[in-house]
Amino acid sequence: MLFHKHQPLKQSPIFFSAFAARSSTFIVSTMSSSSYTSISIHILLFLSQLGTSSASVHAVPINGTCHSTCGTTSVNFPFGTGFGCGHPDFARYIRCSSGRLEFSTGTGIYTISSIDYSANTLIIADPLMSTCSSMQNSGSFSLDRASPFTLTGDNILVLLGCSTTSRIFDPNEDLCATGSSSRVCRGLYSCKGVIGIGLPQNAPISTCCVYESPIQLQGYTLDLPKLQCSSYSSIYDFGGNKGDPMKWKYGISLQYNGSYYSPKCKDCETSGGLCGFAGFDESFACICRNGKNTSTTCFGQGYAWSGTWQPTSETKFSFGGLLLLWLLLSL
């Protein structure tokens, strides 16, 4: 058959003890032993809390790796722009590379032309696919066996420049559509680009085969060498004019499973985050704008609404200055 399914950084208490001893030497003589001990304990507790708090803030990543766009294309769940973004079942197939959203399969990497999130469909473009303006020898195309994508019924797959001895023309197989579908072959063979696959313009359509409904095929692997065909084309929309192949829309229309969206992801997006995954078990993660991952939402995640981290005014003071201020106020 034509298609086959195949932990924050903590400061050492020893450091704080030594630091406190050095900074408070000049006033030791004016204080009683009990007062000095009391203030020292308060100083150590204060500095320990300050050091832990400051280190905790610095542990927050400054920038995230997930984005809501790739170039000019909007990227919504279940898709993501990189590893850890979107749903893990789609991460191996969808990625953003140099501002271009791409779809990967075992036979190649294809550009995603458009996505219809309301219909759960997307259009991919194969650079080796033949169109009216340009025809060339094509490679094979396939969808991985475990892929969450399927071919939609909008696709009209056309095999071009096939050998008349190819098994696709076996009358017992009944693979090629007949009747009105032959107009698709005539339309493509009327294009000047047909010379790119070694055929004259308006060549006989006996070397052309059309599939009107790919969902009737058994599997998702197109092996052109095995089928003895030079090229293939896929038309997902005639553009309102079946008689002018220059206006037809070429590409492969795919349907994806839209059942992955969950209330947890919705809550994450409401808080301004992007849904993703993390860990060896690829568990759900809400990725905030500052790059911090949580298992819930971005609400209450510190600097969740900032793209960069800035220290607060309190953390800009030196430890020595804070220590001196504390001792003077305690006298």
Side-chain angles (χ1 to χ4, degrees), residues 20-329:
R22 289 198 301 270
S23 300
S24 57
T25 300
F26 71 98
I27 61 170
V28 169
S29 60
T30 66
M31 304 170 61
S32 66
S33 175
S34 60
S35 298
Y36 175 73
T37 301
S38 177
I39 291 177
S40 296
I41 292 174
H42 282 84
I43 290 172
L44 291 175
L45 290 174
F46 174 74
L47 289 176
S48 179
Q49 292 172 357
L50 176 63
T52 301
S53 174
S54 176
S56 177
V57 172
H58 277 283
V60 176
I62 293 179
N63 291 309
T65 57
C66 297
H67 306 280
S68 58
T69 59
C70 177
T72 59
T73 304
S74 176
V75 182
N76 300 337
F77 189 84
F79 306 140
T81 55
F83 185 78
C85 309
H87 194 280
D89 286 0
F90 292 84
R92 61 173 296 192
Y93 301 102
I94 305 293
R95 70 176 185 179
C96 181
S97 177
S98 301
R100 185 177 66 177
L101 198 62
E102 297 177 334
F103 176 83
S104 300
T105 74
T107 51
I109 299 176
Y110 310 92
T111 300
I112 297 178
S113 303
S114 63
I115 303 176
D116 186 340
Y117 290 101
S118 62
N120 296 334
T121 59
L122 55 84
I123 304 298
I124 64 173
D126 183 351
L128 296 179
M129 177 191 295
S130 287
T131 66
C132 186
S133 58
S134 176
M135 295 190 189
Q136 57 191 322
N137 291 333
S138 303
S140 298
F141 174 79
S142 71
L143 290 177
D144 295 346
R145 181 179 301 176
S147 169
F149 298 90
T150 58
L151 291 169
T152 72
D154 295 331
N155 295 287
I156 295 181
L157 294 177
V158 188
L159 302 181
L160 304 169
C162 301
S163 169
T164 55
T165 61
S166 171
R167 61 191 181 95
I168 60 175
F169 297 118
D170 185 342
N172 297 323
E173 294 286 348
D174 194 25
L175 294 176
C176 295
T178 58
S180 60
S181 297
S182 63
R183 286 183 289 182
V184 176
C185 286
R186 290 194 180 94
L188 286 174
Y189 277 10
S190 70
C191 300
K192 293 182 179 180
V194 75
I195 61 175
I197 57 174
L199 295 176
Q201 192 173 3
N202 295 313
I205 63 171
S206 57
T207 61
C208 177
C209 179
V210 176
Y211 293 85
E212 283 191 326
S213 182
I215 58 175
Q216 294 178 354
L217 302 176
Q218 295 181 355
Y220 304 102
T221 299
L222 174 62
D223 190 338
L224 290 183
K226 188 174 182 179
L227 296 171
Q228 302 176 41
C229 297
S230 300
S231 184
Y232 84 99
S233 183
S234 179
I235 304 155
Y236 66 92
D237 192 335
F238 287 108
N241 193 333
K242 290 187 177 182
D244 188 353
M246 286 296 293
K247 295 182 179 180
W248 296 350
K249 296 182 180 180
Y250 300 91
I252 301 174
S253 176
L254 300 177
Q255 185 92 35
Y256 64 89
N257 190 334
S259 66
Y260 291 87
Y261 196 67
S262 65
K264 183 179 289 189
C265 180
K266 181 179 180 180
D267 291 342
C268 171
E269 292 178 342
T270 300
S271 71
L274 295 174
C275 303
F277 59 95
F280 291 107
D281 60 348
E282 297 182 335
S283 58
F284 174 82
C286 182
I287 302 170
C288 305
R289 294 188 184 185
N290 64 352
K292 184 174 181 180
N293 290 6
T294 79
S295 60
T296 54
T297 70
C298 292
F299 291 132
Q301 297 300 326
Y303 299 90
W305 300 103
S306 174
T308 58
W309 177 87
Q310 291 292 339
T312 59
S313 58
E314 288 81 5
T315 59
K316 291 182 181 180
F317 287 105
S318 67
F319 284 121
L322 285 171
L323 177 59
L324 179 60
L325 178 62
W326 177 270
L327 292 174
L328 291 176
L329 291 175

